[in-house]
Amino acid sequence: MIRLPDLATGGIRAYEPRRTPAEAVRSHHGSGARSTAGRVPLASRTVFAAAHVVADPLADTSPYGPAALDWEATLAFRRHLWEHGLGVAEAMDTAQRGMGLDWAGAAELIRRSAAEAKAAGGRLACGVGTDQLSPRGAGPAPDREKALAAITAAYEEQLALTEDTGAQAILMASRALAAVARGPEDYERVYGTLLRQASRPVVLHWLGPMFDPALEGYWGSGELDEATDTFLRIIAAHPERVDGVKVSLLDADREVALRRRLPQNVTCYTGDDFNYPQLIQGDEAGHSDALLGVFDPLAPLAAHAVRLLDSGDTAEFRAVLDPTVPLARHLFQQPTRYYKTGVVLLAWLAGHQGHFTMVGGLQSARSLPHLARAYELADSLGLFPDPERAEHRMKQLLAVQGVAQ
């Protein structure tokens, strides 16, 4: 039994954790042997998990200094995702990009993960952005031409590094571009330049302001229909250079409408951490593949669900994945950008790292009741390979915060 803070009453209540993990978790971790299922590629959908980074808890750093990572634990987690058959989306917002991880740290992460992917035979796509620059771009704000040139150059530097490692590029939304651009034409200019230079098809990422308020009005308009039209014009001008789009707007109807307008060769990767089961399942007109931060903690269940879909068992696919949505919605509740705290908590409780410390001190970004509820929801799904270890670690965290056990 564990005593948890109660969100509803503000008091304390008893919770009895489950004693065995879910079968998809147990079969992968049981008896010291890896399941062979994870080595079978997923067939019906392309699925990426956006992976978190593991901080070095012994580094003498500040929330504002360069990030210090535990490289072995960080790369081991990527191997865990590949073992389940998932691709890794690297150096994305789940990895605290722009929230503690700077470009120097992201560049090293991309290099190391690319080498690891080659050794493991894992699929890797990496975030390309402009975080060498301040959010306002480069130079005085009124000098728009110089700022746009600097933004383009920053993207080009990151694109070149990523492609040199052999990884696929994901062109992420740029805070600097959002701050400088006057309208759709500036986005078409910058992205057009980048797409013409890309040596292989890239993924375009539309990250909504719920994930990063600095991206309000991206694609040149705060009106989403107008922004969608600009987004689609950029793709239509360079369809051979766009592998797919990652849509993170938490609006299932809008994503479906967008994917129905995409060129036939362009994939829609859902980034909707609220509605992913129905979007991945799809309908008679098509489906979304996936590039999701929530698949970091959900990897065993997500991989199992997609294998059921591979076999044609749609009902069982939904039976496995639908119950995970309450946890996802809890982790990604507003302020959504702090979902990473719950992701790292679950990685610690599951035994993927030995501590609950985050780059930039973001372990403090969610309340204790929020974290306790995340533990309860994850435990109810059987996500922890060793439920007793997860219970013990959660009790340690609660005790430090004043909830005696």
Side-chain angles (χ1 to χ4, degrees), residues 55-391:
D56 180 353
L58 303 181
D60 185 13
T61 60
S62 76
Y64 308 104
L69 300 187
D70 179 337
W71 288 110
E72 177 48 40
T74 294
L75 296 175
F77 189 77
R78 279 120 184 94
R79 293 192 293 270
H80 155 74
L81 296 174
W82 287 318
E83 285 167 357
H84 281 288
L86 305 183
V88 171
E90 187 57 275
M92 304 292 290
D93 54 292
T94 307
Q96 296 183 241
R97 191 80 179 266
M99 294 183 71
L101 184 68
D102 61 12
W103 166 236
E108 184 65 14
L109 180 62
I110 290 168
R111 292 188 193 98
R112 289 182 182 239
S113 291
E116 201 73 25
K118 290 175 184 175
R123 183 163 182 173
L124 182 72
C126 298
V128 168
T130 64
D131 41 342
Q132 309 96 310
L133 308 175
S134 74
R136 291 295 307 177
D143 195 343
R144 175 166 146 272
E145 287 300 315
K146 286 186 178 178
L148 289 173
I151 289 165
T152 303
Y155 264 129
E156 289 171 338
E157 178 190 355
Q158 297 198 16
L159 178 62
L161 182 146
T162 297
E163 292 194 325
D164 283 349
T165 69
Q168 183 178 21
I170 303 170
L171 295 186
M172 299 192 300
S174 164
R175 292 175 179 172
L177 183 54
V180 168
R182 291 182 184 171
E185 65 280 358
D186 288 336
Y187 290 90
E188 293 177 74
R189 172 179 164 185
V190 171
Y191 278 86
T193 299
L194 297 170
L195 289 171
R196 284 190 293 271
Q197 293 182 31
S199 64
R200 57 181 291 197
V202 306
V203 175
L204 299 182
H205 187 189
W206 186 351
L207 190 69
M210 68 289 295
F211 288 93
D212 187 343
L215 300 177
E216 183 71 47
Y218 211 74
W219 308 114
S221 176
E223 206 290 309
L224 287 177
D225 288 340
E226 293 180 7
T228 299
D229 289 342
T230 301
F231 189 52
L232 289 168
R233 276 200 308 274
I234 292 170
I235 296 166
H238 310 276
E240 74 287 352
R241 301 296 178 92
V242 180
D243 164 64
V245 299
K246 170 174 157 51
V247 187
S248 300
L249 298 176
L250 303 184
D251 184 332
D253 291 340
R254 184 166 291 277
E255 178 175 323
V256 170
L258 172 63
R259 83 183 182 206
R260 288 177 178 172
R261 296 175 64 188
L262 291 172
Q264 189 171 6
N265 65 314
V266 176
T267 299
C268 182
Y269 295 98
T270 186
D272 189 331
D273 300 279
F274 284 3
N275 303 294
Y276 50 92
Q278 70 205 59
L279 291 165
I280 296 170
Q281 178 185 340
D283 54 28
E284 67 284 349
H287 66 266
S288 295
D289 290 81
L291 199 166
L292 289 162
V294 78
F295 280 2
D296 175 306
L298 291 180
L301 298 184
H304 177 54
V306 174
R307 288 195 169 88
L308 290 167
L309 198 59
D310 291 347
S311 71
D313 197 338
T314 302
E316 280 303 305
F317 163 78
R318 294 297 294 266
V320 170
L321 216 52
D322 282 356
T324 69
V325 172
L327 172 61
R329 287 179 173 260
H330 179 74
L331 294 177
F332 285 78
Q333 69 182 216
Q334 294 183 345
T336 302
R337 62 190 180 278
Y338 295 125
Y339 74 88
K340 307 155 187 77
T341 302
V343 166
V344 174
L345 171 80
L346 298 183
W348 173 53
L349 296 178
H352 295 297
Q353 55 194 78
H355 58 82
F356 179 42
T357 302
M358 295 179 66
V359 172
L362 278 187
Q363 67 271 15
S364 65
R366 292 293 202 187
S367 70
L368 188 64
H370 176 92
L371 298 177
R373 181 60 176 158
Y375 159 74
E376 182 179 5
L377 289 167
D379 177 74
S380 70
L381 292 169
L383 269 180
F384 303 127
D386 184 341
E388 290 186 6
R389 175 178 58 196
E391 178 185 355

